[in-house]
Amino acid sequence: MASIIPEEDSNITTTHTDADQSGIHQPEIRPKASHEANILHSAFFGRPLPSYYSATNNNTNDSASSSSSKKKSSRPQNERLCMGGHRETIFGLSLSSDGKYMASASQDSSICIWDVNSHRLVAKLTEGIDEKFECLRVAWMNTRGYDRTTNSDDDTTRENFVKYVLASSGADGIVRLWSGTTTTAESDKLKWQSAGKLDHSSLEKNGVDVVGTSKEDDSPQVYALQFVRSEAAAPNMDILLTSANDCIYLWNIVDDLIPQSPGDASKCQMSFLPYLSVRFTHLDDGSDTNQFGGERNPNNELYIFDASYCESNDLMGVALSDGTCRVVSLANSGNESFVQEQCVLSLPPGYFPGRMGHLTALSWDKSGTRLATCIASGRVILWLLQVVDRGGAQGLHPSCVSILQGGHDAGRPLFGAKYCGGENQVMCECFHL
């Protein structure tokens, strides 16, 4: 994953590579990592690394003595690309469904949008964002290959005018929608603007649901944000998943007004229609779970730190502060949609040192049969979910297949994991701040 750090000119891309005569950029590989890199490259691609990598390593060794007097860079030698645009820690990244744009959410209270091919910063979104609250997550709506009929008389589709829709969430409890619109039907030049917002701290007032039991002056932080496409639970709808304290919300995103001409795109706004909500509580089976927050949370209130929906199985995993991951299914019966708990993933609290047993993140593999959960104590737990027969009814049976630790600083929380490594996704990467 490319790191993003401050630069003097955010529109200038800095790369730390050399180029040969063919114009191919040749990243340097540290000598100690050359052997491991060759093993991995041969395993995945069936051939060793290209010869110019070895030449680069040799040049690095030969010039080591001459460069020792130079100021050492704080950036890793095998860094492929570094883009500057934010001034503080980045908490969220998301790629658009067509792979053309990447969005980032930062502690500096801004959203950056990058062109993936040119590596250029094309927009920085700050409209309406309070500088006292950091931006936490970003998520793109999947508009690729999907024609959504609008409520306009001429049956115009959204993609004729709004090419992209991005959602962002912050520590102020507000989820914002941003649209990338074109000035003409044939133009690829996008104009980014605010297209709607929802304040989770006001949900109780509007009668949607009660958002936890936190103090009135505490804004609920929205850690889970994902656009969901479920033909089983919500056919032909653009559903946005959000979280606040101990609740998960599903919203149907609809257009308030569709412009009648491309030049009228400034009037395009979107609304959040309540679709489904679910509140999670402590397990009532007497299980001894993690106690989160210590003195800061005397009532041991429950919080959601991540949630992820898997399209391949219509299941949603929810990472909670009590150290459990609740797996629920989304379904629709007639005109009624509902959530049903399928299983609970947890280990005995004895596995968690001190009060660092809450879950910080989770990730599905693309098959929907494996799940990785990250723990604040710096461990990753890999789970296998199997469908079994239980007295004539099918159910999910979870199995813990591995507990990963080491490699990261001991005791440092992990904030993300992702399955990767070829068609079968045989690897799992994780990261922390």
Side-chain angles (χ1 to χ4, degrees), residues 71-179:
K71 183 178 179 180
K72 294 183 178 180
S73 172
S74 60
R75 301 172 180 174
Q77 294 182 2
N78 58 348
E79 182 179 275
R80 300 296 299 272
L81 178 67
C82 184
M83 299 183 292
H86 289 294
R87 301 298 177 181
E88 299 290 347
T89 302
I90 293 173
F91 292 129
L93 290 173
S94 180
L95 282 171
S96 61
S97 57
D98 59 4
K100 292 183 179 180
Y101 294 98
M102 180 180 71
S104 55
S106 172
Q107 188 179 359
D108 64 10
S109 308
S110 70
I111 306 295
C112 284
I113 298 179
W114 312 81
D115 185 300
V116 172
N117 292 325
S118 65
H119 311 139
R120 296 181 66 86
L121 177 65
V122 297
K124 192 166 187 175
L125 311 177
T126 59
E127 180 183 350
I129 301 178
D130 192 332
E131 294 182 355
K132 296 184 298 183
F133 299 98
E134 61 263 29
C135 295
L136 299 175
R137 300 289 186 268
V138 282
W140 294 91
M141 179 185 290
N142 183 5
T143 57
R144 180 174 54 184
Y146 179 65
D147 292 331
R148 173 183 173 183
T149 302
T150 68
N151 56 2
S152 58
D153 295 334
D154 60 352
D155 197 34
T156 306
T157 57
R158 168 184 291 180
E159 284 70 31
N160 288 338
F161 304 99
V162 180
K163 297 292 185 68
Y164 297 91
V165 176
L166 176 71
S168 66
S169 65
D172 55 359
I174 298 177
V175 171
R176 290 178 168 83
L177 296 176
W178 311 87
S179 62

Side-chain angles (χ1 to χ4, degrees), residues 325-386:
C325 176
R326 316 287 178 89
V327 178
V328 300
S329 60
L330 304 180
N332 184 287
S333 178
N335 295 326
E336 181 181 359
S337 298
F338 59 92
V339 172
Q340 183 176 1
E341 186 172 283
Q342 296 294 326
C343 62
V344 177
L345 312 181
S346 65
L347 293 177
Y351 278 93
F352 307 136
R355 296 187 180 274
M356 298 291 286
H358 59 281
L359 299 187
T360 55
L362 63 92
S363 176
W364 293 93
D365 77 336
K366 63 183 180 181
S367 71
T369 60
R370 293 179 295 173
L371 189 64
T373 57
C374 297
I375 305 178
S377 59
R379 298 169 178 175
V380 179
I381 304 178
L382 304 183
W383 301 88
L384 176 65
L385 301 181
Q386 296 174 300

Side-chain angles (χ1 to χ4, degrees), residues 135-426:
C135 295
L136 299 175
R137 300 289 186 268
V138 282
W140 294 91
M141 179 185 290
N142 183 5
T143 57
R144 180 174 54 184
Y146 179 65
D147 292 331
R148 173 183 173 183
T149 302
T150 68
N151 56 2
S152 58
D153 295 334
D154 60 352
D155 197 34
T156 306
T157 57
R158 168 184 291 180
E159 284 70 31
N160 288 338
F161 304 99
V162 180
K163 297 292 185 68
Y164 297 91
V165 176
L166 176 71
S168 66
S169 65
D172 55 359
I174 298 177
V175 171
R176 290 178 168 83
L177 296 176
W178 311 87
S179 62
T181 61
T182 55
T183 55
T184 64
E186 296 79 14
S187 174
D188 291 330
K189 186 176 181 180
L190 297 173
K191 177 183 178 181
W192 298 93
Q193 59 186 2
S194 175
K197 70 176 184 178
L198 172 72
D199 189 352
H200 283 71
S201 62
S202 65
L203 295 184
E204 181 176 0
K205 300 177 183 178
N206 295 334
V208 176
D209 204 338
V210 180
V211 184
T213 57
S214 60
K215 298 179 181 179
E216 292 183 359
D217 57 347
D218 290 339
S219 298
Q221 300 189 6
V222 182
Y223 289 111
L225 188 71
Q226 180 187 7
F227 277 101
V228 171
R229 185 67 56 77
S230 173
E231 292 303 320
N236 301 321
M237 293 185 186
D238 290 317
I239 299 296
L240 180 63
L241 181 156
T242 67
S243 70
N245 292 339
D246 58 356
C247 291
I248 288 289
Y249 300 93
L250 298 180
W251 307 92
N252 183 16
I253 306 301
V254 298
D255 300 301
D256 281 345
L257 177 63
I258 298 298
Q260 300 301 314
S261 64
D264 197 26
S266 61
K267 295 182 180 180
C268 184
Q269 291 290 303
M270 302 172 194
S271 293
F272 298 74
L273 298 184
Y275 183 73
L276 193 63
S277 64
V278 56
R279 166 174 284 176
F280 291 87
T281 60
H282 289 284
L283 299 177
D284 56 6
D285 59 1
S287 300
D288 186 15
T289 56
N290 175 67
Q291 303 292 312
F292 172 72
E295 296 180 356
R296 295 182 296 124
N297 186 18
N299 297 326
N300 193 27
E301 296 175 6
L302 203 59
Y303 294 95
I304 295 172
F305 288 122
D306 195 13
S308 178
Y309 167 79
C310 181
E311 290 187 3
S312 62
N313 56 18
D314 270 324
L315 294 177
M316 178 171 59
V318 182
L320 294 166
S321 60
D322 65 353
T324 67
C325 176
R326 316 287 178 89
V327 178
V328 300
S329 60
L330 304 180
N332 184 287
S333 178
N335 295 326
E336 181 181 359
S337 298
F338 59 92
V339 172
Q340 183 176 1
E341 186 172 283
Q342 296 294 326
C343 62
V344 177
L345 312 181
S346 65
L347 293 177
Y351 278 93
F352 307 136
R355 296 187 180 274
M356 298 291 286
H358 59 281
L359 299 187
T360 55
L362 63 92
S363 176
W364 293 93
D365 77 336
K366 63 183 180 181
S367 71
T369 60
R370 293 179 295 173
L371 189 64
T373 57
C374 297
I375 305 178
S377 59
R379 298 169 178 175
V380 179
I381 304 178
L382 304 183
W383 301 88
L384 176 65
L385 301 181
Q386 296 174 300
V387 178
V388 297
D389 183 58
R390 295 176 177 173
Q394 290 187 333
L396 280 181
H397 177 72
S399 302
C400 175
V401 297
S402 183
I403 300 177
L404 309 180
Q405 59 184 357
H408 294 279
D409 296 341
R412 294 286 297 277
L414 300 178
F415 292 102
K418 186 174 180 61
Y419 284 94
C420 59
E423 182 66 23
N424 295 325
Q425 295 186 308
V426 296

Side-chain angles (χ1 to χ4, degrees), residues 26-59:
Q26 305 172 1
E28 294 183 358
I29 295 182
R30 287 170 289 184
K32 292 182 179 180
S34 178
H35 179 64
E36 290 83 357
N38 266 300
I39 293 177
L40 288 174
H41 197 278
S42 298
F44 283 105
F45 301 104
R47 60 183 184 277
L49 285 169
S51 58
Y52 61 72
Y53 284 95
S54 300
T56 303
N57 290 333
N58 293 335
N59 293 338

